[in-house]
Amino acid sequence: MNIARTLVLFLVLVVFLIGGAFWLRSAYFGGGSAPEELLFRPANSLGDPLFGVFEGRAPCGAEDCSALKIGLALYRDDVTWVPTTYRLVLVYVGKGDEQHASEGGWTVEGDVEGYPDSVVYALDANAPAELRSYWAINDDLLLILGKKGRPRVGNAGLGYLLNRTQ
């Protein structure tokens, strides 16, 4: 009898935990049955595969904003490796926390002042002016460039470096 009571209590506890997990998902992630929208798709609308996703946090120049979350997805032709499109998603933390996306084309250029063999990824005019130029330090790190192609300087807590996440 004691084992049966323990088993029933265990099953009731499991049911409550599972129900709580579903409630948390619906409360914090917008509903349990709706499919999640991908922020960055594995291929663009032309079918070009994802070259990489780079993310980071930078100082925010807007009022009432504590940081700028940046997500950049780059796509390129699978055969020629020619850059095709990008998707840039920005979130102004503390200022509505809404996603602001821009899409367009990108190119590979060169020359960061003082680094003649550098590789720079340049986004088209659809991206905000201050986020159009990235120095590809290596395969996993992009440094946002400022005016005249110079690296931007962050502050004690935030910088202008994006890390590859995909």
Side-chain angles (χ1 to χ4, degrees), residues 70-84:
I70 302 169
L72 174 63
L74 300 173
Y75 297 88
R76 67 179 182 189
D77 185 276
D78 199 23
V79 177
T80 64
W81 287 23
V82 171
T84 57

Side-chain angles (χ1 to χ4, degrees), residues 54 58 68 70 72 74 86 88 90 102 105-113 115 118-137 141-153 159-162:
F54 301 88
L68 178 62
I70 302 169
L72 174 63
L74 300 173
Y86 71 86
L88 178 67
L90 306 174
S102 57
W106 66 287
T107 58
V108 176
E109 300 174 353
D111 277 3
V112 172
E113 186 178 315
Y115 298 89
S118 59
V119 174
V120 175
Y121 299 157
L123 307 185
D124 66 11
N126 292 335
E130 68 276 7
L131 297 172
R132 289 186 189 155
S133 188
Y134 300 83
W135 178 7
I137 297 172
L141 299 172
L142 299 181
L143 184 61
I144 301 171
L145 299 175
K147 294 178 182 176
K148 300 180 184 176
R150 293 187 178 138
R152 296 179 72 181
V153 178
Y160 290 95
L161 189 66
L162 303 182

Side-chain angles (χ1 to χ4, degrees), residues 5-71:
R5 187 180 289 176
T6 303
L7 183 60
V8 168
L9 286 174
F10 175 75
L11 291 174
V12 168
L13 179 62
V14 167
V15 168
F16 278 116
L17 288 175
I18 291 173
F22 281 109
W23 176 83
L24 280 174
R25 179 175 177 187
S26 67
Y28 289 103
F29 298 108
S33 62
E36 278 188 39
E37 183 180 337
L38 293 174
L39 190 57
F40 301 116
R41 301 214 176 270
N44 64 12
S45 61
L46 305 171
D48 299 323
L50 186 63
F51 167 63
V53 173
F54 301 88
E55 297 178 292
R57 292 176 185 235
C60 185
E63 289 183 32
D64 302 330
C65 177
S66 59
L68 178 62
K69 287 185 187 178
I70 302 169

